[in-house]
Amino acid sequence: MKKNEVPQDESCLSKVNIKEVVYAVDEQGNYDKTLSSGWETKNKVLNESLELIEERLKETKEALLAGTASPIAYYMELHRMDVTILASYVGFWKFKVKRHLRPKVFARLKKRTLKKYAEVFDISVSELKNPKV
Amino acid sequence: MKIDFQHNQSAHCENGVVSNLLHHNGLELSEPMIFGIGSGAFFIYLPFIKVNFAPAFSFRPVPGFIFSRVSKRLGFKIKRIKFKSKSKAQQVLDRELAQNNPVGLQVGVYNLTYFPDEYRFHFNAHNLVVYGKEEDTYLISDPVMPEVTTLTVKELEKVRFAKGAFAPKGHIYYPTALPKKFKLEKAIVKGIKQTCKHMLAPVPVVGVKGILYVSKKIRTWPNKIGVKKTNHYLGQLVRMQEEIGTGGGGFRFIYAAFLQEASQILALPRLNELSREMTAIGDLWRDFAIDASRLYKNRSKETDAYNKVADKLETIALKEKAFYQELKKAVSTL
């Protein structure tokens, strides 16, 4: 990549005034650090991934309101987690966390268990029980 | 307390942390130099590890390896500590800072408050330097940021004890026992040789073979897992290739910069030629990214488009294969 080819598109980084370092060659073919404000191609890829997260969140929200998913499922998606990550945060086995995503199981959870989840999601237990969606 | 520490923005977090920490200890090495000596150019495809609902691809070795190799090859030691206890982790950090020793930390990205929201993923292989503490705020030098920044005690604890794949477990590290003299030439050659070995490894998911394997997978994904998932997987590959820290083109440009520097140090003009070749390969990776990202628009089941992208990746793999064979030859007598 040549220095004058380093993309200077707008990006979520440039919005907060961050430029990233890329390596590019000058006219003489010598390498140097160059700053890039962003690249349209990267935006596309990043947006796709964010859209997917949004979509999953929307679906889970609907499932929560329909009573087919527990608030834990909702907050898990809200924090961009999957079962594996959530399980390692709360310190339970994966199959246990999976069970907790079911509203019926969730309703029977002990306060101690709920507290663990609430801490991970940085909310109170009552908020976990009555999520603000 | 604030340690007099020079923050230098770099492309990749680990190289940057190492380069900045070594600079602080009186050892001048550029980011590409660290990357090259530490055999940073790499490729691996891990279909069973899911990151953000897609398989993991990596263009660099496991976090920490680059620094370990650099230390071994230049002959200094690294003190590394991981913790079970959060309070112990903080105690050790505070103790080192009190001794005027800036330290590297492995952290999770998700709770890094100074990153834009778009970049907050559960990715645990980020690195930064802590160079001071003022009341309950830590002074942070994150090498991918243009300027130094800060994190509160609570915020830092959160990122040090992020969970999931590659959980940092409070991982703290810093160089010790730095030698007065070191053999840079030898270290460079060793770094190059290992890179060739890795990239030409006879393992299906590693190096050139790994790239080939992924290109084959891209051909079957649309029918097997559907277009949407395929796009997401491709997106993951492109993100790993281009995201903050790679310096563009999946680290290929940093590696080319290293070869150029190495060519001067070793007085080996051939390496400069190979640097130009690596630059061309990096450009191909950029083209691949552009083509892959264009696929999002047509969500049709047209496998032809995916085959074309796969072809591109295959070409890259074959070019890299030839490249590393040549590179191996170029340093074989050294």
Side-chain angles (χ1 to χ4, degrees):
Chain A
M1 188 164 46
K2 296 205 176 72
K3 263 188 174 177
N4 54 15
E5 290 167 3
V6 172
Q8 303 294 350
D9 301 335
E10 247 177 60
S11 72
C12 57
L13 287 177
S14 68
K15 268 189 276 167
V16 288
N17 269 326
I18 300 175
K19 282 187 178 179
E20 59 176 308
V21 168
V22 295
Y23 282 79
V25 287
D26 62 16
E27 304 274 307
Q28 283 78 42
N30 293 320
Y31 262 99
D32 199 6
K33 279 203 268 191
T34 313
L35 289 173
S36 164
S37 60
W39 187 26
E40 198 43 50
T41 300
K42 280 170 63 169
N43 292 348
K44 266 191 217 161
V45 180
L46 192 61
N47 285 341
E48 183 272 343
S49 158
L50 292 171
E51 271 166 31
L52 196 89
I53 289 169
E54 281 301 311
E55 213 171 288
R56 290 180 67 99
L57 185 62
K58 206 178 135 224
E59 277 167 19
T60 318
K61 214 188 262 181
E62 279 161 11
L64 175 72
L65 295 172
T68 54
S70 81
I72 290 173
Y74 169 70
Y75 281 107
M76 179 178 86
E77 293 295 337
L78 189 67
H79 287 266
R80 298 180 182 175
M81 292 177 174
D82 58 18
V83 174
T84 315
I85 294 171
L86 181 56
S88 62
Y89 267 102
V90 287
F92 298 145
W93 292 97
K94 260 165 80 174
F95 77 89
K96 210 170 167 186
V97 173
K98 262 187 206 162
R99 272 172 52 80
H100 296 168
L101 305 182
R102 291 176 13 210
K104 263 193 184 163
V105 180
F106 177 78
R108 291 201 306 263
L109 286 182
K110 286 187 204 129
K111 185 141 192 218
R112 215 179 51 201
T113 312
L114 290 174
K115 219 181 145 199
K116 274 196 178 171
Y117 281 106
E119 270 171 24
V120 169
F121 299 136
D122 210 7
I123 50 174
S124 65
V125 172
S126 65
E127 211 174 320
L128 180 63
K129 279 183 170 168
N130 306 292
K132 284 179 250 166
V133 281
Chain B
M1 138 243 7
K2 185 178 173 184
I3 302 165
D4 185 22
F5 183 78
Q6 198 185 329
H7 173 80
N8 233 324
Q9 193 184 3
S10 60
H12 186 251
C13 60
E14 192 180 344
N15 311 331
V17 163
V18 176
S19 176
N20 286 343
L21 281 179
L22 289 181
H23 171 84
H24 183 82
N25 288 287
L27 207 68
E28 264 339 302
L29 286 172
S30 70
E31 178 185 12
M33 236 341 137
I34 301 281
F35 184 75
I37 293 174
S39 306
F42 191 56
F43 183 85
I44 192 165
Y45 168 52
L46 297 163
F48 302 116
I49 297 184
K50 291 281 192 289
V51 181
N52 191 31
F53 312 106
F57 305 93
S58 184
F59 288 81
R60 62 150 182 174
V62 176
F65 270 38
I66 294 180
F67 198 8
S68 296
R69 289 172 188 155
V70 170
S71 79
K72 221 194 273 164
R73 285 165 197 167
L74 292 180
F76 62 87
K77 294 239 154 51
I78 307 169
K79 179 87 180 154
R80 287 180 186 282
I81 318 168
K82 285 191 180 184
F83 304 89
K84 274 202 174 135
S85 144
K86 290 177 182 170
S87 59
K88 189 86 204 292
Q90 196 190 328
Q91 268 173 32
V92 172
L93 172 61
D94 289 348
R95 189 190 69 206
E96 288 307 321
L97 292 176
Q99 288 169 2
N100 227 14
N101 186 24
V103 291
L105 292 182
Q106 186 195 336
V107 297
V109 167
Y110 185 71
N111 282 305
L112 275 184
T113 41
Y114 52 80
F115 265 21
D117 211 35
E118 288 89 338
Y119 277 103
R120 295 184 57 200
F121 291 106
H122 292 275
F123 172 73
N124 288 330
H126 190 60
N127 293 275
L128 50 78
V129 173
V130 184
Y131 69 98
K133 188 182 186 185
E134 277 163 0
E135 281 161 42
D136 68 342
T137 309
Y138 283 105
L139 308 178
I140 307 289
S141 155
D142 186 323
V144 304
M145 298 290 284
E147 304 291 339
V148 289
T149 169
T150 57
L151 286 172
T152 65
V153 170
K154 212 184 156 207
E155 284 167 347
L156 188 65
E157 185 184 284
K158 248 188 170 170
V159 294
R160 289 182 76 188
F161 285 90
K163 298 281 169 62
F166 301 120
K169 298 192 178 96
H171 189 180
I172 183 171
Y173 56 91
Y174 51 89
T176 59
L178 280 125
K180 292 236 158 50
K181 268 192 199 162
F182 54 92
K183 289 178 184 152
L184 191 56
E185 290 85 355
K186 230 176 148 183
I188 290 171
V189 173
K190 267 211 161 145
I192 292 177
K193 281 185 178 165
Q194 195 185 25
T195 302
C196 294
K197 204 171 146 195
H198 285 165
M199 289 307 290
L200 299 170
V203 185
V205 294
V206 173
V208 170
K209 285 212 154 172
I211 303 170
L212 268 177
Y213 187 58
V214 173
S215 81
K216 272 187 200 134
K217 283 278 162 192
I218 293 173
R219 296 179 203 279
T220 61
W221 277 340
N223 285 325
K224 225 172 165 185
I225 56 172
V227 171
K228 210 174 142 192
K229 251 191 171 174
T230 306
N231 286 350
H232 184 57
Y233 284 14
L234 275 175
Q236 174 101 319
L237 176 61
V238 173
R239 267 206 326 277
M240 288 301 147
Q241 177 195 320
E242 294 299 334
E243 249 345 311
I244 287 196
T246 63
F251 296 102
R252 269 53 184 168
F253 296 126
I254 298 188
Y255 201 66
F258 157 71
L259 289 176
Q260 191 169 65
E261 229 183 303
S263 143
Q264 295 225 333
I265 294 168
L266 298 176
L268 205 67
R270 177 76 183 127
L271 287 188
N272 203 19
E273 288 165 35
L274 286 167
S275 163
R276 275 201 289 278
E277 262 175 54
M278 186 88 280
T279 306
I281 291 173
D283 288 337
L284 285 177
W285 278 104
R286 299 283 275 193
D287 283 348
F288 166 75
I290 293 172
D291 287 359
S293 74
R294 275 191 189 134
L295 285 177
Y296 295 143
K297 275 189 192 149
N298 61 333
R299 293 214 162 170
S300 66
K301 265 219 158 136
E302 202 193 324
T303 46
D304 200 39
Y306 292 93
N307 276 331
K308 271 186 193 153
V309 171
D311 287 344
K312 267 227 155 115
L313 201 56
E314 202 180 315
T315 313
I316 291 173
L318 296 176
K319 288 227 163 164
E320 288 212 349
K321 189 178 176 186
F323 170 86
Y324 285 108
Q325 281 166 345
E326 282 301 308
L327 184 61
K328 200 176 163 186
K329 255 190 238 160
V331 293
S332 61
T333 52
L334 296 174

